């Protein structure tokens, strides 16, 4: 949060929003490369990128919060999965519809939601912790340089 306050001080409201937008784009790509490396342009990769892109400026301080991003990304993936399963073009009035119906019931369950959140958290939290530590270290170096301690 302190870092974004400094960015806002340097660039003003509009400039800091532009920096935040660029940061979100890069972060979305970076997270996707870690969470969906073989299919970074697949539907899950696109969900991750869109979720990060859609984070509002007022939530800038949550950008590295594991619980916040876990819930956002999990929700986005589940919503996209529901959309994919309700795709009218795939209905065949046969076995596929039965399987899809059973899967839809499971996707709507709290158990499935909790499972997805748990697995996303297991993957994303160590990555965010590392990113946050690097961010803090870089910011500390910037502060030292700004006051002439380097």
């Amino acid at each position: 949060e302190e870092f974004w306050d400094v960015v806002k001080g340097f660039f003003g409201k509009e400039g800091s929003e532009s920096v935040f937008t660029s940061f979100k784009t890069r972060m979305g790509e970076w997270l996707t490369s870690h969470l969906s490396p073989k299919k970074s342009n697949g539907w899950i990769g696109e969900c991750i990128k869109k979720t990060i892109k859609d984070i509002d400026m007022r939530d800038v301080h949550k950008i590295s919060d594991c619980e916040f991003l876990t819930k956002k990304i999990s929700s986005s993936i589940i919503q996209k999965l529901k959309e994919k399963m309700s795709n009218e073009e795939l209905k065949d009035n046969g076995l596929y519809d039965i399987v899809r119906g059973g899967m839809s019931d499971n996707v709507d369950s709290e158990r499935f939601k909790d499972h997805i959140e748990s697995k996303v958290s297991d993957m994303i939290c160590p990555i965010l912790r590392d990113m946050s530590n690097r961010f803090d270290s870089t910011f500390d170096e910037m502060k030292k340089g700004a006051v002439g301690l380097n």
Side-chain angles (χ1 to χ4, degrees):
E1 187 173 0
E2 185 180 1
F3 175 78
W4 293 109
D5 290 337
V6 170
V7 168
K8 192 180 280 186
F10 279 140
F11 298 105
K13 185 178 188 300
E14 287 182 24
S16 62
E17 287 177 5
S18 179
V19 170
F20 184 53
T21 298
S22 294
F23 179 81
K24 290 188 302 183
T25 299
R26 296 283 305 234
M27 183 176 177
E29 292 168 357
W30 180 76
L31 274 176
T32 300
S33 73
H34 285 79
L35 300 176
S36 186
K38 291 185 178 180
K39 296 212 175 196
S40 60
N41 290 322
W43 69 270
I44 290 178
E46 293 304 316
C47 280
I48 295 167
K49 291 176 205 171
K50 183 176 181 337
T51 299
I52 301 301
K53 181 180 170 241
D54 289 348
I55 294 174
D56 192 86
M57 183 69 181
R58 70 176 177 263
D59 290 327
V60 66
H61 60 283
K62 297 178 185 176
I63 194 85
S64 61
D65 180 307
C66 176
E67 186 176 341
F68 175 77
L69 286 183
T70 293
K71 288 187 182 305
K72 289 268 191 198
I73 290 170
S74 298
S75 176
S76 175
I77 290 170
I78 291 169
Q79 184 59 40
K80 188 62 170 181
L81 187 56
K82 287 178 185 180
E83 288 174 20
K84 291 178 84 52
M85 288 191 300
S86 68
N87 186 341
E88 293 292 323
E89 294 174 16
L90 298 178
K91 290 185 177 183
D92 71 353
N93 293 325
L95 186 57
Y96 179 83
D97 290 348
I98 294 169
V99 171
R100 187 177 41 79
M103 289 175 60
S104 292
D105 292 343
N106 285 327
V107 168
D108 285 330
S109 75
E110 280 299 311
R111 183 172 174 238
F112 183 75
K113 178 181 161 267
D114 292 345
H115 175 76
I116 295 296
E117 284 183 0
S118 172
K119 296 303 180 185
V120 168
S121 178
D122 289 349
M123 292 178 77
I124 200 172
C125 291
I127 295 168
L128 289 176
R129 208 171 12 259
D130 182 52
M131 181 194 79
S132 187
N133 289 340
R134 289 182 190 193
F135 216 46
D136 290 345
S137 177
T138 300
F139 185 58
D140 287 344
E141 290 299 315
M142 288 171 54
K143 286 193 300 189
K144 287 177 187 175
V147 294
L149 295 176
N150 265 349

